[in-house]
Amino acid sequence: MKRRIGCLHAHYANIEYIEQAFSKVEAELLHFVDPALVYRVSSDDSFSLPDAERKVKEQIEWIAQARVDAILITCTNYVALLQDDQLAVTVPVIKIDEPFFDLVSHREGNQILLFTNPATVEGTMGRLQEYASAIGRRPDIEVRVIPDTFELFMQGNREQYKNVLAASIRELLAADQGKAISVAQLSMTEAARSVSEETGVAIGNPLDALAPYVENALFK
């Protein structure tokens, strides 16, 4: 039986990533896109944290009314704002970073976690540490933000964004030999995969473990 998954995105480009990830999964994907929240959180001082949390709650509850079997949140910023105990929905809400957290938490040795959007760092790292602690892990993670790049993605300059990000990852591989590298945001996956194919070095990303995780949640 084909299941219906409602996907909440902060940018239209994420639709393509999710469609690729679920290309072999028996599921119908319904896409809901709202880039305005990310803009307001990062640039509008009058837009408070409770305002942002309330907006995400409204979006999730709206999607749930579309008769979906699960809701997938693909934006780490949205995930960080989500207050699970305040949601009035009965369907599973799947956060894109949970299977990624499992990957990162089980890696041994020093590792670098890359971001391009500074606004997602605090929330993502808080949830990662909480997840790792719950499964008895203490990953050794160094956070690095690649500055002045996320704006390119939000403005639709995806190729330039990918190229700048790929160059930064190559530099890190050369300078920090021996450290595992992962990218924390869905928008960074394309560049990470490109460098990984080019160099033969595995670069962790939020997309690779996602489809098996969702399939297990829906069909097992």
Side-chain angles (χ1 to χ4, degrees):
M1 176 181 176
K2 181 175 286 191
R3 302 299 181 90
R4 176 180 290 181
I5 303 173
C7 306
L8 176 60
H9 312 285
H11 196 279
Y12 291 96
N14 287 352
I15 294 176
E16 179 182 340
Y17 300 139
I18 297 302
E19 290 282 353
Q20 290 175 356
F22 286 87
S23 60
K24 297 181 181 180
V25 177
E26 286 293 318
E28 176 187 358
L29 303 179
L30 300 181
H31 298 288
F32 301 80
V33 185
D34 181 10
L37 182 58
V38 172
Y39 278 117
R40 294 203 65 183
V41 167
S42 59
S43 61
D44 186 351
D45 292 336
S46 68
F47 193 66
S48 68
L49 178 60
D51 289 334
E53 292 173 347
R54 184 166 52 253
K55 182 60 178 177
V56 173
K57 177 177 180 289
E58 291 172 355
Q59 289 172 318
I60 296 298
E61 292 174 354
W62 171 253
I63 294 171
Q65 293 177 37
R67 297 182 180 178
V68 296
D69 297 293
I71 297 172
L72 171 64
I73 306 176
T74 69
C75 173
T76 50
N77 212 342
Y78 283 9
V79 169
L81 291 167
L82 185 62
Q83 301 294 316
D84 292 314
D85 58 348
Q86 297 179 7
L87 286 178
V89 299
T90 57
V91 299
V93 177
I94 300 167
K95 302 155 187 174
I96 192 167
D97 50 13
E98 287 182 344
F100 178 65
F101 287 165
D102 195 66
L103 168 70
V104 172
S105 296
H106 283 91
R107 275 185 164 173
E108 301 292 342
N110 300 331
Q111 53 184 310
I112 296 171
L113 188 55
L114 292 176
F115 293 80
T116 56
N117 183 1
T120 68
V121 175
E122 182 177 356
T124 299
M125 291 307 299
R127 292 192 66 249
L128 171 55
Q129 290 163 5
E130 182 180 332
Y131 182 92
S133 177
I135 62 172
R137 305 291 297 182
R138 297 185 64 181
D140 185 359
I141 298 173
E142 176 187 352
V143 171
R144 297 194 190 181
V145 178
I146 302 172
D148 305 321
T149 51
F150 190 63
E151 292 81 1
L152 295 172
F153 180 78
M154 294 303 290
Q155 293 165 3
N157 298 321
R158 289 180 58 187
E159 193 64 26
Q160 186 179 357
Y161 176 76
K162 173 186 171 182
N163 292 339
V164 171
L165 181 52
S168 296
I169 295 174
R170 292 189 200 98
E171 291 175 5
L172 278 177
L173 287 175
D176 295 279
Q177 296 181 3
K179 290 186 178 181
I181 297 176
S182 300
V183 298
Q185 297 159 220
L186 184 61
S187 65
M188 305 170 77
T189 297
E190 192 174 1
R193 285 177 169 175
S194 176
V195 175
S196 191
E197 291 175 2
E198 173 190 321
T199 63
V201 178
I203 309 292
N205 69 77
L207 200 56
D208 287 346
L210 180 62
Y213 183 90
V214 174
E215 277 193 287
N216 185 65
L218 290 180
F219 300 105
K220 302 300 183 184

